[in-house]
Amino acid sequence: MRTVEAQLRRVLDAAVRPAPIRVDISSAQGLLCAEEVVADRALPGFDQAAVDGFAVRSVDVRAAAEEPVELPVVGEVAVGSRQAHRLQPGQAVRVATGAPLPTLADAVAPYDHTDAADDPGHRGTGHRARLTVKTPVPSAGWVRRVGEDVAPGDVAVRRGAAVGPAQVGLLAAVGRTKVLVHPRPRVSVLAVGDELVDLDRTPGTGQVVDVNSYALAAAAADAGAEVTRLGIASTEPAALREAVESAMARSEIVVIAGGVGGRLGEDVQDTLSELGPVDVSRVAMHPGSVQGFGRLGSEEIPTFLLPANPVSALVVFEVLVRPLIRLTLGKQELHRREVTAALLSPVASPPGRRSYVRGRLLRDRASGEYLAQPLGSSGSHLLSSLAEANALILVDEDTTELGMDAPVRVSFLAPRS
């Protein structure tokens, strides 16, 4: 059997990276920036008040360290004001947070530094003729200087940075409406199997609802892909080939559930081999040992043949397909976070295979120690236990049994609720 690491190397070596595209910044959330975004404007674009208070010259209130300083209030500047104000020596101007500072003002005296703090009626829009400053303020005190956040020529968003809410806000602040990003890889998902029926039909004897195309499409979207769920494909060779070729034409990755075992598997593999080499082999993992992978078509599109059992399909997706999607997105971290936890009940594992045991990851509030509770049977058809799981408990190939309290590696599947 091929090791999990060897299979993963084969998969990652086949990555097809789509070229970067330019998108509206509102569509860039969750993607990686593919350029150095250099600011051509300052942020802030002008000296502005950082608090509500009074614009002053710091030199005029320096003596307030010894005794209060009284200044005339000669005006008011509101947020968004475009009228020029010039502060003369020995004067103060009321300013709101974010308002432009008058010329010559180099500091803002907050209300709490003045006698306005003793007169709440004057903290809003009320006017006052004179002001007593009780505490000195340093030059640039409570002032947002022009270019303090970003200066012209600074890199606002770096190449390779994940674009989140802060990056979108910064792009908007420096005047960018579009940004070059690594796009989401397009993933097509389909299922094969003579026993499958879609959700709009009641399964009869020997039939089962197509679970895999829905579950795997959701897994691909969760990994960050742009997903097309193609549903159930016909097992008739010409129709299957047409469906797979259609999927390849629109995708960087194709995922096919079913077609790795039995006579149907042989027929599916024969059909796909007309498009390129498909290697169906055993991988030293449980569940999902028997699986297929190949590079199909002239573009050598990475194509997976996953087991028909939903749990096996989802585990193989987690271990092999999800890292490929992450790599294609340009991510540095391909795998989910792992921690060491203490088992809350024993687990068994087949010899020579790495087991991925469905589990619930908990944390002891007193000690902070992670705890791992295995869930249900190891049957690869038992989807309910995977739905309850928030983690996979990893048991190495050379281990067949682990007792209670044994330390194990645990991979997160979802945030703890």
Side-chain angles (χ1 to χ4, degrees), residues 259-276:
V260 292
R263 179 58 183 272
L264 173 62
E266 293 177 4
D267 292 342
V268 170
Q269 294 156 36
D270 286 345
T271 300
L272 295 184
S273 66
E274 299 173 7
L275 302 174

Side-chain angles (χ1 to χ4, degrees), residues 17-37 159 161 163 171 176-186 224 226 252 328-329:
R17 293 284 295 274
I21 59 173
R22 195 166 297 280
V23 300
D24 291 337
I25 61 172
S26 57
S27 300
Q29 171 77 17
L31 301 177
L32 291 188
C33 186
E35 63 173 322
E36 298 278 288
V37 178
R159 182 184 290 109
V163 180
L171 288 167
R176 291 292 294 267
T177 60
K178 294 182 179 293
V179 63
L180 194 68
V181 295
H182 294 288
R184 301 183 190 281
R186 299 168 300 166
E226 178 185 319
E252 279 77 45
T328 308
L329 274 166

